Amino acid sequence: MSNMPLFEVFVRSKRGLDHTHCGSLHAENAEQALEYARDVYTRRSEGVSIWVVKASDVTASQESDRDSFYDPMDDKPYRHATHYVLPDEVNNM
Amino acid sequence: MPNSEANLEQLEVDFQARIDAEERIEPKDWMPEKYRKTVLRQMSQHAHSEVIGMQPEGNWITRAPSLHRKIVLLAKVQDEAGHGLYLYSAAETLGATREELVQLMHEGKAKYSSIFNYPTLTWADIGAIGWLVDGAAIVNQVALQRTSYGPYSRSMIRICKEESFHQRQGYEIMLKLANGSPEQKAMAQDALNRFWEPSLMMFGPTDADSPNSAQSMKWKIKRKSNDELRQAFVDQTIKQIEVLGLEMPSKDIKWNEERGHYDFGELNWDEFFAVIKGNGPCNRQRLAHHKKAHDEGAWVREAARAYEAKKKARAEKAA
Amino acid sequence: MTETNTPIVDYTIRLADDSLTLGHRLSEWCSNGPFLEEDIALINVSLDYVGRARMLYAYAAETENQGRSEDDICYLRDTREYRNLLINELPKGDFAFTIVRQFFVDTFNLLFYTELLNSKDSTLAAIAGKSIKETKYHLRRSKDWMVRLGDGTEESHNRCQAAIDELWDYVTEMFDMDELETGLAAQGVAVDRTALREQWQQIVKEVTDEATLTLPDHDIAIRGGRTGIHTEHLGYLLAELQYVQRAYPGNTW
């Protein structure tokens, strides 16, 4: 229903896990979106908690920003555990 | 940066490289216009198929022969609605609205799978659809889980997970009939005979007659050719027919030692193209049904919108 | 068509028939909803009702212990033997009719099953427990839609008001008690329906007020379902529902 706003749906599949994006739907408002999300995205008890967010309220990074956003992160190997070589006896650190 | 020709060429090279590296294309990525159009067309056709596909099976919800069958069929047809919704959502990531896509279908400019233009005449047809039509759809959709467009691929993964019960419930209906009374067995055989060819045609024309396929394969929108998928489906289904103890739906079905596959003869493609063009037994009925529901829902959608607007206005006034 | 079963079996079949006929009507919305999200939601409600009917028929079949299955009870009785309240069998109508009927019945069911939870019959009490959870969600939906449609556009308001006026005459039957139910209520098994009317009226009034809709002030009552005197609509519902079983008797599906 294009006349109704689009909502993005996030479902927590079980306690202890993050909410994960699983799709979208149309509804008049957030409350209705939540109900439809229950009917559409958790028909097989896939969830214990649902978030809905109006799609127009999502600010997304742009593909054109990719070089400046993500490439600079690629040359910082010191943030990763594997960067540090330790003797075998203590390597499960 | 202006899209000079050289720049465009580079973008296309990068795009193809990304596809070749099995990376997914996401909504905000640059993509060739033709890729966008092809993916959008395929997703919208797929969505329409799910939604129109509710009708032939929905035709038996009120007549299902037991409470168990009624509940299962309801849940299954509801899944089709859900799958249509997932696919419309995926299509909307490319900037089309559901309303526009539905409009195109109503105008006859967007297609849906030709299989749904065949009538469901007996209860056995519900078994045959679950077993053969969903079976064929699953073969196709399993391949599409790796399609290059991210949102499409993700909806396929979700859909495949949910559809596993669809084929099984259909086959279970057929098993019951094939092992039932002579009347029931005849009903099952008749359904198999009628749905066999149309199911094979769900994979689309032969590769030789499928002009857009090569580009779609290169872009990995399609992962396997029509003929490959069709053959895989035939090979897996013959054994299932044997287990049912039904006769083969075509005299041409036989094992081909040399190819290592079953032969299944020539399909009646004239009929296929006639149905695609809109002249199958149920084309007019299906579209009219969908339009009617859509038109009759207009006042409901308007009311919901009007109420929401009033609510907002009241809240603003109060603030 | 005198009732030959034990009272508790008859009572269970009544409740089952109520759930089945309404669930069947709701299932007719499949592929006919005003938009896809709502189509899916309506089918969910239908599934709850048909599922409840199935549990109740199964319990009746088990309790009467006469070799009938849940399907035999559902598929092999004719109109005069059906015991559902008339409100549940009326054709699905437009979306407003469906919503108003759901709202009336959902509100009733919430009160009814909350009471049935205390039934001395532990199976009925267990079914009530499950039904309350489902009904809370159904009512949340039908209440929201009542307000949305009542206070939406002129057309939706008028359609909703027309549905209220039409359905109102079938409301009273929901609160009727007869010998069977009075007897079972005295034993702590059945619910005293008459006691629910006031609260029902109050909830319905609150919501219709908010929805700018009006409740009729007459109390015409059309009744008959519990004695098998139905509207003519039920015959067609059953003809469809039972077609396969009747056309091919004695087969399993």
Side-chain angles (χ1 to χ4, degrees):
Chain A
M1 260 293 301
S2 56
N3 296 321
M4 294 184 175
L6 187 69
F7 286 83
E8 299 295 336
V9 179
F10 301 77
V11 172
R12 185 203 293 286
S13 60
K14 68 180 197 202
R15 299 180 64 83
L17 296 183
D18 289 325
H19 285 78
T20 311
H21 182 245
C22 64
S24 62
L25 51 75
H26 291 278
E28 268 313 326
N29 58 37
E31 290 74 28
Q32 196 187 27
L34 204 55
E35 293 175 13
Y36 285 143
R38 176 259 194 197
D39 288 321
V40 171
Y41 288 102
T42 65
R43 294 197 302 285
R44 289 173 172 75
S45 342
E46 291 95 334
V48 295
S49 163
I50 305 174
W51 289 347
V52 291
V53 182
K54 220 181 209 177
S56 58
D57 288 342
V58 173
T59 309
S61 64
Q62 297 298 310
E63 178 57 18
S64 53
D65 293 332
R66 194 160 77 130
D67 293 351
S68 57
F69 263 53
Y70 309 110
D71 287 358
M73 308 300 179
D74 288 347
D75 63 355
K76 298 181 175 60
Y78 45 80
R79 289 197 203 273
H80 299 277
T82 48
H83 183 68
Y84 305 90
V85 180
L86 300 183
D88 282 351
E89 302 93 286
V90 292
N91 205 17
N92 59 357
M93 193 181 286
Chain B
M1 196 191 306
N3 271 349
S4 69
E5 224 164 274
N7 184 35
L8 192 66
E9 220 166 90
Q10 188 54 48
L11 283 169
E12 277 175 9
V13 169
D14 292 348
F15 178 80
Q16 188 62 47
R18 183 175 267 185
I19 292 205
D20 292 341
E22 288 294 329
E23 270 187 53
R24 296 285 177 266
I25 306 302
E26 294 297 342
K28 291 193 186 303
D29 293 348
W30 182 88
M31 61 189 84
E33 192 47 29
K34 187 148 180 270
Y35 175 90
R36 202 189 82 89
K37 275 197 177 136
T38 307
V39 176
L40 183 58
R41 192 188 60 220
Q42 196 174 324
M43 287 190 293
S44 89
Q45 270 187 22
H46 202 151
H48 297 330
S49 299
E50 296 281 356
V51 168
I52 295 293
M54 295 169 72
Q55 292 180 36
E57 290 181 280
N59 184 34
W60 281 86
I61 286 175
T62 54
R63 292 182 291 169
S66 72
L67 287 164
H68 169 65
R69 295 288 178 210
K70 188 178 172 74
I71 286 172
V72 169
L73 186 57
L74 254 179
K76 177 181 190 269
V77 180
Q78 185 196 38
D79 271 352
E80 315 293 359
H83 298 169
L85 197 147
Y86 304 162
L87 286 159
Y88 283 126
S89 295
E92 283 182 277
T93 60
L94 289 179
T97 67
R98 197 194 299 175
E99 191 85 353
E100 288 161 6
L101 298 175
V102 166
Q103 185 66 31
L104 287 173
M105 175 173 63
H106 286 174
E107 290 167 6
K109 289 180 190 150
K111 306 265 184 248
Y112 55 85
S113 179
S114 60
I115 190 79
F116 302 118
N117 291 316
Y118 293 89
T120 50
L121 302 174
T122 71
W123 171 248
D125 291 2
I126 299 307
I129 288 190
W131 168 38
L132 298 174
V133 176
D134 285 80
I138 291 168
V139 168
N140 192 30
Q141 287 167 355
V142 164
L144 283 174
Q145 290 182 103
R146 291 164 52 238
T147 191
S148 58
Y149 187 57
Y152 192 23
S153 152
R154 289 191 289 277
S155 16
M156 279 301 119
I157 291 169
R158 175 172 276 273
I159 288 171
C160 282
K161 216 187 273 172
E162 297 190 353
E163 279 211 343
S164 55
F165 102 80
H166 293 185
Q167 194 187 12
R168 293 172 72 92
Q169 67 87 33
Y171 194 73
E172 193 197 67
I173 290 174
M174 293 301 276
L175 262 179
K176 201 82 178 171
L177 297 175
N179 294 304
S181 69
E183 270 174 318
Q184 285 177 307
K185 192 166 181 179
M187 203 187 269
Q189 183 71 55
D190 172 54
L192 166 59
N193 295 348
R194 278 185 290 116
F195 277 95
W196 173 251
E197 276 216 13
S199 306
L200 299 191
M201 291 178 183
M202 285 173 68
F203 297 100
T206 58
D207 294 349
D209 283 330
S210 188
N212 298 322
S213 277
Q215 182 63 65
S216 284
M217 295 282 281
K218 189 169 171 232
W219 276 334
K220 299 190 178 176
I221 298 171
K222 281 176 80 152
R223 301 299 309 228
K224 284 184 176 167
S225 81
N226 296 354
D227 287 335
E228 266 179 281
L229 292 167
R230 186 166 16 245
Q231 186 67 58
F233 176 67
V234 169
D235 289 347
Q236 79 177 33
T237 307
I238 301 301
K239 173 85 186 155
Q240 295 163 355
I241 299 174
E242 286 167 1
V243 170
L244 288 174
L246 295 177
E247 283 169 31
M248 289 300 150
S250 153
K251 286 188 286 297
D252 297 326
I253 295 173
K254 43 182 161 318
W255 178 250
N256 184 325
E257 191 64 52
E258 206 175 305
R259 293 200 306 126
H261 291 291
Y262 282 96
D263 290 339
F264 49 92
E266 277 293 305
L267 304 177
N268 181 356
W269 289 106
D270 289 345
E271 180 188 295
F272 175 80
F273 287 112
V275 177
I276 286 268
K277 282 207 188 80
N279 300 319
C282 298
N283 296 59
R284 287 163 179 77
Q285 181 189 343
R286 300 289 183 245
L287 267 189
H289 179 133
H290 194 273
K291 260 189 223 164
K292 182 166 180 273
H294 188 75
D295 292 348
E296 284 177 355
W299 70 267
V300 179
R301 303 190 293 268
E302 274 160 29
R305 202 173 326 138
Y307 175 72
E308 205 50 35
K310 278 190 201 174
K311 215 171 69 175
K312 247 177 227 152
R314 280 176 207 147
E316 271 161 28
K317 213 172 156 194
Chain C
M1 309 296 141
T2 50
E3 309 196 73
T4 52
N5 283 307
T6 61
I8 211 153
V9 171
D10 286 334
Y11 185 61
T12 305
I13 290 177
R14 287 179 175 193
L15 301 183
D17 289 350
D18 283 336
S19 295
L20 178 83
T21 44
L22 188 52
H24 185 96
R25 287 303 185 205
L26 283 166
S27 79
E28 293 173 348
W29 276 103
C30 187
S31 83
N32 293 303
F35 50 98
L36 212 42
E37 284 83 350
E38 184 58 28
D39 209 303
I40 294 169
L42 279 168
I43 303 173
N44 260 354
V45 180
S46 172
L47 277 169
D48 286 343
Y49 271 93
V50 180
R52 187 183 308 162
R54 197 176 169 202
M55 282 190 291
L56 289 161
Y57 285 130
Y59 179 52
E62 182 198 319
T63 311
E64 75 171 8
N65 196 21
Q66 313 243 326
R68 282 202 297 181
S69 69
E70 59 182 45
D71 286 331
D72 292 340
I73 300 180
C74 177
Y75 287 83
L76 300 179
R77 281 176 308 139
D78 210 340
T79 309
R80 292 282 286 114
E81 297 153 293
Y82 256 73
R83 288 291 177 268
N84 60 284
L85 300 167
L86 302 181
I87 194 169
N88 297 311
E89 74 193 38
L90 300 174
K92 81 180 203 304
D94 64 3
F95 187 72
F97 188 87
T98 283
I99 289 302
V100 173
R101 165 162 58 187
Q102 284 313 123
F103 174 61
F104 283 176
V105 175
D106 293 342
T107 305
F108 176 84
N109 278 346
L110 187 62
L111 301 172
F112 179 86
Y113 284 113
T114 303
E115 284 304 311
L116 193 66
L117 198 57
N118 305 317
S119 174
K120 292 219 169 95
D121 184 295
S122 59
T123 306
L124 289 180
I127 292 173
K130 187 168 182 298
S131 302
I132 290 169
K133 286 189 200 165
E134 295 165 351
T135 304
K136 278 187 181 157
Y137 189 73
H138 301 166
L139 183 57
R140 174 173 163 164
R141 272 178 41 79
S142 53
K143 218 187 213 169
D144 283 353
W145 270 119
M146 281 296 284
V147 176
R148 227 177 263 137
L149 295 182
D151 195 16
T153 61
E154 196 184 338
E155 178 173 9
S156 68
H157 176 91
N158 292 343
R159 282 176 184 264
C160 235
Q161 188 60 54
I164 290 178
D165 295 345
E166 199 179 333
L167 280 157
W168 192 250
D169 302 345
Y170 299 92
V171 162
T172 301
E173 196 189 22
M174 293 196 289
F175 303 97
D176 278 353
M177 291 295 280
D178 62 1
E179 210 182 305
L180 176 90
E181 298 201 11
T182 309
L184 284 173
Q187 295 165 38
V189 171
V191 175
D192 178 8
R193 294 167 175 271
T194 46
L196 308 176
R197 175 85 203 223
E198 202 177 315
Q199 214 185 336
W200 182 90
Q201 185 88 18
Q202 197 186 330
I203 298 170
V204 168
K205 178 87 171 55
E206 265 171 38
V207 174
T208 44
D209 279 353
E210 192 191 340
T212 71
L213 295 162
T214 325
L215 293 178
D217 58 5
H218 64 75
D219 54 358
I220 297 170
I222 303 174
R223 39 169 68 99
R226 295 302 195 214
T227 53
I229 305 297
H230 291 275
T231 66
E232 289 178 353
H233 304 296
L234 183 67
Y236 290 91
L237 186 156
L238 296 181
E240 247 184 281
L241 175 79
Q242 302 177 340
Y243 152 68
V244 178
Q245 290 265 1
R246 301 286 196 174
Y248 305 94
N251 291 315
T252 54
W253 302 93

